[in-house]
Amino acid sequence: MPAIDPRTIGTHLMGPLFVGDGVSNDIPTVSTVNVIDVKGYGAFGDGVTDDTAAIQAAIAAMPTTGGVLAFPTAIYLINASSVSGLHFNAKTNFRVVGNGSTIKVKNSAPVVGGQGMLYFTSSTDGSIEHLVLDGNRANRTVNFASPAGAYSIAVNDSCQRLFFKNVRMINGVIDGFTITTSAPGTASTYPTDITFENCTADNNVRVGGSVIHSVRTTIRGGRYVNTTGSAPQAGIDVEPDAGPSTGNTNLVIEDVESSGNAGVGFLIAGASANVNTGGTLRNLRGSNNALGFLSLANAKNYAVSSLNIGAHTAATRGIIDLGDASSTCENVHISDVTMTGITGGSAGIWVSTSCTVPITIEDIHIKDCSVTALQIEEPRTRLSGIRVFNVTSDPNVIINGARTVIRDLVIDGGTGRHLYIDGTDIEVNGLTSYNCASTDRVIQFTASATGGILRNVAVFQATSIPAGQIVVLWQAVPRIMTHVTA
């Protein structure tokens, strides 16, 4: 079959049909007779007329396999008052081409569970591109105490290989998108290989993107910002439902910003019986999330790297928070983190006692913060390559977890004690302290810190030693102290 010529699609088409990235081999080889122009089915696209029935008719006219649904550039008003909204069911090898169009829910449309915008079930190998979905929350009645599931995008039962690109989900009355199943006890129904690329979720009520039950979801690029209204108010929330289900497996989130949310920027959570397993989080950035940047409450075998975290003024515990009393946090590796301007919460990085080893944290740079840089409560945590600059909380670093091992720690400037240790059998091998301003002590092992090991320590003062400062205070009997220079 010949490739589609974008110039010949639909007599009402306004503007170009986007085809992948404009590369010729991205153009699908489907017959032009399979192209459905929504204006050809009666949609006005004037931002005034209710186009719901026309768009639903166009979707119904798509062939089961190989169809293209085209939206000429316009604003399409819908009422969102039919179950499943604009429903794509059992479609295969299809495309939805938005041409930058907006689908907007009209004023005063009801907010009812199941009555959302785009809804996908049992659909495979589809792409949805260059659309704006406007839930119009300012002009609809939302029950913030218990918001209904009127999702802007719902990817549901048995969907596979759906690709969303350059889609904006704004002003949603619950989630920007949700990925789930109506049969959480049946893993074969979990949406699989769903991708959101360079998408944006802005000003949604509950979360920007919600991953509830899935296999190999990928969220790549884009922004998930300004969620506010109903808990958890996260940018991206990965959280399986309780009950007979498994967690999300082999999740990838990369090159994403999450900022300005009233909850956590990235929340990996859920009940301990349904563990999220095998996740990769990398190249993430954000600032000013009210409850912190990243919470790994329910995560097993997760690799987290290359985080750039800007100013945050509050958090429940850590701006990066590992562990939750009701969940599982096990075998997590965090590396290459830059954190600046933290003024709220308990710590830059907090590792809870509910974590399960191994927890490894390395190559961390924390600067200009007024909270403790690291607070480690979990035994046997491994820390290396930690750089702490100008932290004004006392102490700068707190280690309470027994048998924690610290390699290559540098603390420069700030106020308060540089290192406070209250756990047993903790080893510090390689500590450099510059310009500690504490008039008390630089390093403290409390009476509970029995069996401590301190090796290869250098303490420098640029001008003079503050009056009353002690380099190392042992309140318990040390196991080893060697090569300490001050």
Side-chain angles (χ1 to χ4, degrees):
M1 290 181 289
I4 294 175
D5 183 345
R7 296 167 297 180
T8 64
I9 296 178
T11 58
H12 301 284
L13 191 61
M14 300 168 60
L17 171 66
F18 288 102
V19 283
D21 295 315
V23 181
S24 60
N25 61 9
D26 284 338
I27 302 175
T29 54
V30 296
S31 171
T32 56
V33 300
N34 289 339
V35 176
I36 306 298
D37 180 342
V38 297
K39 288 197 171 183
Y41 283 77
F44 283 82
D46 58 8
V48 177
T49 306
D50 187 338
D51 288 326
T52 308
I55 298 173
Q56 288 175 329
I59 294 170
M62 292 174 66
T64 301
T65 301
V68 176
L69 183 71
F71 286 85
T73 306
I75 298 174
Y76 299 89
L77 207 64
I78 64 172
N79 60 32
S81 61
S82 61
V83 173
S84 300
L86 307 178
H87 190 186
F88 296 78
N89 181 53
K91 302 295 185 183
T92 300
N93 191 27
F94 67 97
R95 298 185 69 190
V96 178
V97 183
N99 290 308
S101 293
T102 295
I103 300 175
K104 183 176 181 178
V105 179
K106 68 182 185 179
N107 292 353
S108 303
V111 179
V112 180
Q115 297 181 5
M117 299 183 74
L118 301 188
Y119 193 93
F120 299 86
T121 52
S122 301
S123 293
T124 61
D125 299 295
S127 67
I128 301 88
E129 307 168 21
H130 301 283
L131 266 176
V132 179
L133 302 174
D134 187 347
N136 195 15
R137 63 179 284 186
N139 296 296
R140 300 169 68 191
T141 301
V142 181
N143 179 359
F144 292 103
S146 181
Y151 305 101
S152 296
I153 297 175
V155 179
N156 213 296
D157 300 353
S158 303
C159 287
Q160 297 184 38
R161 296 178 300 281
L162 298 186
F163 180 76
F164 296 83
K165 183 175 182 179
N166 295 329
V167 176
R168 295 182 64 220
M169 300 150 281
I170 62 175
N171 309 319
V173 294
I174 186 165
D175 300 354
F177 73 76
T178 185
I179 302 174
T180 189
T181 175
S182 62
T186 305
S188 61
T189 68
Y190 285 20
T192 301
D193 296 313
I194 309 301
T195 299
F196 281 81
E197 182 171 291
N198 293 332
C199 294
T200 296
D202 191 352
N203 190 37
N204 295 288
V205 165
R206 202 184 75 96
V207 296
S210 179
V211 185
I212 302 174
H213 302 294
S214 74
V215 177
R216 293 190 300 275
T217 291
T218 297
I219 303 170
R220 179 184 300 116
R223 303 174 69 243
Y224 294 78
V225 297
N226 303 321
T227 304
T228 179
S230 298
Q233 302 180 109
I236 294 176
D237 177 23
V238 179
E239 188 169 356
D241 287 337
S245 66
T246 58
N248 297 280
T249 57
N250 298 319
L251 168 80
V252 175
I253 303 176
E254 60 185 359
D255 304 319
V256 173
E257 178 189 353
S258 187
S259 296
N261 300 290
V264 177
F266 300 92
L267 177 61
I268 316 296
S272 59
N274 311 316
V275 182
N276 299 301
T277 305
T280 300
L281 312 179
R282 59 189 170 218
N283 296 327
L284 308 181
R285 64 195 181 279
S287 60
N288 296 314
N289 298 291
L291 298 183
F293 179 75
L294 169 63
S295 176
L296 291 174
N298 180 357
K300 182 177 181 180
N301 304 334
Y302 261 59
V304 182
S305 63
S306 300
L307 308 183
N308 192 331
I309 304 171
H312 283 74
T313 59
T316 302
R317 291 188 308 197
I319 303 303
I320 297 177
D321 193 85
L322 276 66
D324 182 285
S326 63
S327 301
T328 297
C329 186
E330 177 181 349
N331 191 23
V332 172
H333 182 198
I334 297 179
S335 65
D336 187 17
V337 175
T338 299
M339 188 181 300
T340 306
I342 308 303
T343 59
S346 298
I349 300 176
W350 181 295
V351 181
S352 166
T353 56
S354 62
C355 294
T356 304
V357 295
I359 304 295
T360 304
I361 300 173
E362 60 184 5
D363 297 328
I364 309 298
H365 297 253
I366 298 177
K367 180 181 179 182
D368 298 333
C369 298
S370 58
V371 302
T372 295
L374 292 91
Q375 183 154 345
I376 309 301
E377 302 291 333
E378 168 60 25
R380 293 175 291 176
T381 301
R382 298 294 182 263
L383 305 170
S384 65
I386 310 298
R387 304 291 183 265
V388 177
F389 300 95
N390 193 31
V391 168
T392 59
S393 177
D394 178 28
N396 290 187
V397 174
I398 299 174
I399 309 295
N400 294 331
R403 288 172 286 171
T404 292
V405 175
I406 304 169
R407 298 280 192 273
D408 187 21
L409 169 63
V410 176
I411 306 178
D412 191 343
T415 58
R417 292 161 290 179
H418 274 183
L419 178 61
Y420 175 89
I421 294 175
D422 191 48
T424 60
D425 302 317
I426 290 174
E427 179 182 352
V428 180
N429 191 343
L431 166 63
T432 304
S433 167
Y434 293 99
N435 302 318
C436 179
S438 172
T439 57
D440 191 5
R441 67 227 47 174
V442 178
I443 304 163
Q444 179 179 355
F445 285 77
T446 71
S448 299
T450 58
I453 298 173
L454 190 63
R455 294 190 177 102
N456 301 316
V457 175
V459 177
F460 297 94
Q461 294 290 356
T463 54
S464 61
I465 299 172
Q469 184 181 83
I470 300 172
V471 172
V472 183
L473 174 63
W474 288 94
Q475 294 175 286
V477 177
R479 180 176 300 172
I480 298 172
M481 183 171 69
T482 181
H483 295 95
V484 176
T485 304

Coordinates of all heavy atoms in Angstrom, one line a residue, residues 401-457:
G401 N 22.1 4.6 61.3 CA 21.9 3.2 60.9 C 23.2 2.4 61.2 O 24.3 2.7 60.8
A402 N 23.1 1.3 62.0 CA 24.2 0.5 62.4 C 24.9 -0.1 61.1 O 24.3 -0.3 60.1 CB 23.8 -0.6 63.3
R403 N 26.2 -0.2 61.2 CA 27.0 -0.8 60.2 C 27.0 -0.1 58.8 O 27.3 -0.7 57.8 CB 26.6 -2.3 60.0 CG 27.1 -3.2 61.1 CD 26.5 -4.6 61.0 NE 25.1 -4.6 61.3 CZ 24.3 -5.7 61.1 NH1 24.7 -6.8 60.6 NH2 23.0 -5.6 61.4
T404 N 26.6 1.2 58.9 CA 26.7 2.0 57.7 C 28.2 2.2 57.4 O 29.0 2.4 58.3 CB 26.0 3.4 57.9 OG1 24.6 3.1 58.0 CG2 26.3 4.3 56.8
V405 N 28.5 2.2 56.1 CA 29.9 2.5 55.6 C 30.0 3.7 54.8 O 29.2 3.9 53.9 CB 30.4 1.3 54.8 CG1 31.8 1.6 54.2 CG2 30.5 0.0 55.7
I406 N 30.9 4.6 55.2 CA 31.1 5.9 54.5 C 32.4 6.0 53.9 O 33.4 5.7 54.5 CB 30.9 7.1 55.4 CG1 29.5 7.0 56.1 CG2 31.0 8.4 54.7 CD1 29.4 8.0 57.3
R407 N 32.5 6.2 52.6 CA 33.8 6.4 51.9 C 33.8 7.7 51.2 O 32.8 8.1 50.5 CB 33.9 5.3 50.8 CG 34.0 3.9 51.3 CD 35.4 3.5 51.8 NE 35.5 2.1 52.1 CZ 35.1 1.5 53.2 NH1 34.6 2.2 54.2 NH2 35.3 0.2 53.3
D408 N 34.9 8.5 51.4 CA 35.1 9.7 50.6 C 34.0 10.7 50.8 O 33.2 11.0 50.0 CB 35.2 9.4 49.1 CG 35.6 10.6 48.3 OD1 36.2 11.6 48.9 OD2 35.4 10.6 47.1
L409 N 34.0 11.3 52.0 CA 33.0 12.3 52.4 C 33.7 13.7 52.6 O 34.7 13.7 53.3 CB 32.3 11.9 53.8 CG 31.5 13.0 54.5 CD1 30.3 13.4 53.6 CD2 31.0 12.5 55.8
V410 N 33.2 14.7 51.9 CA 33.8 16.0 52.0 C 32.7 17.0 52.5 O 31.6 17.0 51.9 CB 34.4 16.5 50.7 CG1 34.9 18.0 50.8 CG2 35.5 15.6 50.2
I411 N 33.0 17.7 53.6 CA 32.0 18.7 54.1 C 32.8 20.0 54.2 O 33.8 20.1 54.9 CB 31.5 18.3 55.5 CG1 30.8 16.9 55.4 CG2 30.4 19.3 55.9 CD1 30.3 16.4 56.7
D412 N 32.2 21.1 53.6 CA 32.9 22.3 53.5 C 32.0 23.5 54.0 O 30.9 23.7 53.4 CB 33.3 22.6 52.0 CG 34.3 23.7 51.9 OD1 34.4 24.6 52.8 OD2 34.9 23.8 50.8
G413 N 32.5 24.2 55.0 CA 31.7 25.4 55.4 C 30.5 25.1 56.2 O 30.3 24.0 56.8
G414 N 29.6 26.0 56.2 CA 28.3 25.9 56.9 C 28.5 26.1 58.4 O 29.5 26.6 58.9
T415 N 27.4 25.7 59.1 CA 27.5 25.9 60.6 C 27.1 24.5 61.2 O 26.6 23.6 60.5 CB 26.5 26.9 61.1 OG1 25.2 26.6 60.6 CG2 26.8 28.3 60.5
G416 N 27.4 24.4 62.5 CA 27.0 23.2 63.2 C 28.1 22.1 63.0 O 29.0 22.2 62.2
R417 N 27.9 20.9 63.7 CA 28.8 19.8 63.6 C 28.7 19.2 62.2 O 27.6 19.1 61.6 CB 28.3 18.7 64.6 CG 28.5 19.1 66.0 CD 27.7 18.3 67.0 NE 26.3 18.6 66.9 CZ 25.3 18.0 67.6 NH1 25.6 17.0 68.4 NH2 24.1 18.4 67.4
H418 N 29.8 18.8 61.7 CA 29.9 18.3 60.3 C 29.3 16.9 60.3 O 28.6 16.5 59.3 CB 31.3 18.4 59.7 CG 31.6 19.7 59.1 ND1 32.8 20.0 58.5 CD2 30.8 20.8 59.0 CE1 32.7 21.2 58.0 NE2 31.6 21.8 58.3
L419 N 29.7 16.0 61.2 CA 29.2 14.6 61.2 C 28.8 14.2 62.6 O 29.6 14.3 63.5 CB 30.4 13.8 60.6 CG 30.1 12.3 60.6 CD1 29.0 11.9 59.6 CD2 31.4 11.5 60.1
Y420 N 27.6 13.6 62.6 CA 27.1 13.1 63.9 C 26.7 11.6 63.7 O 25.9 11.3 62.8 CB 25.8 13.9 64.3 CG 25.1 13.5 65.5 CD1 25.4 14.0 66.8 CD2 24.0 12.6 65.4 CE1 24.7 13.6 67.9 CE2 23.3 12.1 66.5 CZ 23.7 12.6 67.8 OH 23.0 12.2 68.9
I421 N 27.3 10.8 64.6 CA 27.1 9.3 64.5 C 26.5 8.8 65.8 O 27.0 9.0 66.9 CB 28.4 8.6 64.2 CG1 28.9 9.1 62.8 CG2 28.3 7.1 64.2 CD1 30.2 8.5 62.4
D422 N 25.3 8.1 65.6 CA 24.7 7.6 66.8 C 24.4 6.1 66.6 O 23.7 5.5 67.5 CB 23.3 8.3 67.0 CG 22.7 8.0 68.3 OD1 23.4 8.0 69.4 OD2 21.5 7.7 68.4
G423 N 24.9 5.4 65.6 CA 24.7 4.0 65.4 C 25.9 3.2 65.7 O 27.0 3.7 65.8
T424 N 25.7 1.9 65.9 CA 26.8 1.0 66.2 C 27.6 0.5 65.0 O 27.0 0.4 63.9 CB 26.3 -0.2 67.0 OG1 25.4 -0.9 66.2 CG2 25.6 0.2 68.3
D425 N 28.9 0.3 65.2 CA 29.7 -0.4 64.2 C 29.7 0.4 62.8 O 29.6 -0.2 61.8 CB 29.3 -1.8 63.9 CG 29.3 -2.7 65.2 OD1 30.3 -2.5 65.9 OD2 28.4 -3.4 65.4
I426 N 29.8 1.7 62.9 CA 29.8 2.5 61.7 C 31.2 2.8 61.3 O 32.1 3.2 62.2 CB 29.0 3.8 61.9 CG1 27.5 3.5 62.0 CG2 29.3 4.8 60.8 CD1 26.6 4.6 62.4
E427 N 31.5 2.7 60.0 CA 32.9 2.9 59.5 C 32.9 4.2 58.7 O 32.2 4.3 57.7 CB 33.4 1.7 58.7 CG 34.8 1.9 58.1 CD 35.2 0.8 57.3 OE1 34.5 -0.3 57.2 OE2 36.3 0.9 56.7
V428 N 33.8 5.0 59.0 CA 34.1 6.2 58.2 C 35.5 6.1 57.7 O 36.5 6.1 58.5 CB 33.9 7.5 59.0 CG1 34.2 8.7 58.1 CG2 32.5 7.6 59.6
N429 N 35.7 6.0 56.4 CA 37.0 5.9 55.8 C 37.2 6.9 54.7 O 36.7 6.7 53.6 CB 37.2 4.5 55.2 CG 38.7 4.2 54.8 OD1 39.5 5.1 54.7 ND2 39.0 2.9 54.7
G430 N 37.8 8.0 55.1 CA 38.0 9.1 54.1 C 37.0 10.3 54.4 O 36.0 10.3 53.8
L431 N 37.4 11.2 55.3 CA 36.6 12.3 55.6 C 37.5 13.6 55.6 O 38.5 13.6 56.2 CB 35.9 12.2 57.0 CG 35.3 13.5 57.6 CD1 34.2 14.0 56.7 CD2 34.8 13.2 59.0
T432 N 37.1 14.6 54.8 CA 37.7 15.8 54.7 C 36.8 16.9 55.2 O 35.7 17.1 54.6 CB 38.3 16.1 53.3 OG1 39.1 15.1 52.9 CG2 39.1 17.4 53.4
S433 N 37.2 17.7 56.2 CA 36.3 18.7 56.7 C 37.0 20.1 56.6 O 38.2 20.2 57.0 CB 36.0 18.5 58.2 OG 35.5 19.6 58.8
Y434 N 36.3 21.0 55.9 CA 36.9 22.3 55.8 C 36.0 23.4 56.5 O 34.8 23.4 56.4 CB 36.9 22.8 54.3 CG 37.8 22.0 53.4 CD1 37.3 20.9 52.6 CD2 39.2 22.3 53.3 CE1 38.2 20.2 51.8 CE2 40.0 21.6 52.5 CZ 39.5 20.5 51.7 OH 40.4 19.8 50.9
N435 N 36.7 24.2 57.3 CA 36.1 25.4 57.9 C 34.7 25.1 58.6 O 33.7 25.7 58.4 CB 35.8 26.4 56.8 CG 37.1 26.8 56.1 OD1 38.1 27.0 56.7 ND2 37.0 26.9 54.7
C436 N 34.8 24.1 59.5 CA 33.6 23.8 60.3 C 33.5 25.0 61.4 O 34.5 25.3 62.1 CB 33.8 22.5 61.1 SG 32.4 22.1 62.2
A437 N 32.3 25.6 61.4 CA 32.1 26.7 62.3 C 31.7 26.4 63.7 O 31.5 27.2 64.5 CB 31.2 27.7 61.7
S438 N 31.4 25.1 63.9 CA 30.9 24.7 65.2 C 31.9 25.0 66.4 O 33.1 24.8 66.3 CB 30.7 23.1 65.2 OG 30.3 22.7 66.5
T439 N 31.3 25.5 67.4 CA 32.1 25.8 68.6 C 32.1 24.6 69.6 O 32.5 24.7 70.7 CB 31.6 27.1 69.4 OG1 30.3 26.9 69.7 CG2 31.8 28.3 68.5
D440 N 31.5 23.5 69.1 CA 31.3 22.3 69.9 C 32.3 21.2 69.5 O 33.3 20.9 70.1 CB 29.9 21.9 69.8 CG 29.5 20.8 70.9 OD1 30.4 20.5 71.7 OD2 28.4 20.3 70.8
R441 N 32.0 20.6 68.3 CA 32.9 19.5 67.8 C 32.6 19.4 66.3 O 31.6 19.7 65.8 CB 32.5 18.2 68.5 CG 31.2 17.7 68.2 CD 30.4 17.2 69.3 NE 30.3 18.1 70.5 CZ 29.6 17.8 71.5 NH1 28.8 16.8 71.6 NH2 29.6 18.7 72.6
V442 N 33.6 18.9 65.6 CA 33.5 18.6 64.2 C 32.9 17.3 63.9 O 31.9 17.1 63.1 CB 34.9 18.7 63.5 CG1 34.8 18.4 62.0 CG2 35.5 20.0 63.7
I443 N 33.3 16.2 64.6 CA 32.8 14.9 64.5 C 32.4 14.4 65.8 O 33.2 14.5 66.8 CB 33.9 13.9 63.9 CG1 34.4 14.5 62.5 CG2 33.4 12.5 63.7 CD1 35.7 13.9 62.1
Q444 N 31.2 13.8 65.9 CA 30.8 13.2 67.2 C 30.3 11.8 67.1 O 29.4 11.5 66.3 CB 29.7 14.1 67.8 CG 29.1 13.6 69.1 CD 28.0 14.5 69.7 OE1 27.7 15.5 69.2 NE2 27.5 14.1 70.8
F445 N 30.8 10.9 67.9 CA 30.3 9.6 68.1 C 29.6 9.6 69.5 O 30.3 9.8 70.5 CB 31.4 8.5 68.1 CG 32.0 8.2 66.7 CD1 32.9 9.1 66.1 CD2 31.6 7.1 66.1 CE1 33.4 8.8 64.9 CE2 32.2 6.8 64.8 CZ 33.1 7.7 64.2
T446 N 28.3 9.4 69.5 CA 27.6 9.4 70.8 C 27.9 8.2 71.6 O 28.6 7.3 71.2 CB 26.1 9.5 70.5 OG1 25.6 8.2 70.0 CG2 25.7 10.6 69.5
A447 N 27.3 8.2 72.8 CA 27.5 7.1 73.7 C 26.9 5.8 73.2 O 27.3 4.7 73.6 CB 26.8 7.4 75.1
S448 N 26.0 5.9 72.2 CA 25.4 4.7 71.6 C 26.2 4.2 70.4 O 26.0 3.1 69.9 CB 24.0 5.0 71.1 OG 23.1 5.4 72.1
A449 N 27.2 5.0 70.0 CA 27.9 4.7 68.8 C 29.1 3.8 69.1 O 30.3 4.1 68.8 CB 28.4 5.9 68.1
T450 N 28.9 2.6 69.6 CA 30.0 1.7 70.0 C 30.5 1.0 68.7 O 29.8 0.9 67.7 CB 29.5 0.6 71.0 OG1 28.4 -0.1 70.3 CG2 29.0 1.2 72.3
G451 N 31.8 0.6 68.8 CA 32.4 -0.1 67.7 C 32.7 0.7 66.5 O 32.9 0.2 65.4
G452 N 32.8 2.1 66.6 CA 33.0 2.9 65.5 C 34.4 2.8 65.0 O 35.4 2.6 65.7
I453 N 34.6 3.1 63.6 CA 35.9 3.0 63.0 C 36.0 4.4 62.2 O 35.2 4.8 61.5 CB 36.0 1.9 62.0 CG1 35.9 0.5 62.7 CG2 37.3 1.9 61.2 CD1 35.8 -0.7 61.8
L454 N 37.2 5.0 62.5 CA 37.4 6.3 61.9 C 38.8 6.3 61.3 O 39.8 6.2 62.0 CB 37.3 7.4 62.9 CG 37.3 8.9 62.4 CD1 36.1 9.2 61.5 CD2 37.3 9.8 63.6
R455 N 38.9 6.4 60.0 CA 40.2 6.3 59.3 C 40.3 7.5 58.3 O 39.3 7.9 57.7 CB 40.3 5.0 58.5 CG 40.4 3.7 59.3 CD 40.8 2.6 58.3 NE 40.9 1.3 59.0 CZ 40.0 0.3 59.0 NH1 38.9 0.5 58.4 NH2 40.3 -0.8 59.6
N456 N 41.5 7.9 58.1 CA 41.9 8.9 57.0 C 41.0 10.1 57.1 O 40.2 10.4 56.2 CB 41.7 8.2 55.7 CG 42.7 7.0 55.5 OD1 43.8 7.0 55.9 ND2 42.1 5.9 55.0
V457 N 41.2 10.9 58.1 CA 40.4 12.1 58.4 C 41.3 13.3 58.3 O 42.4 13.2 58.9 CB 39.7 12.0 59.7 CG1 39.0 13.3 60.0 CG2 38.7 10.9 59.7

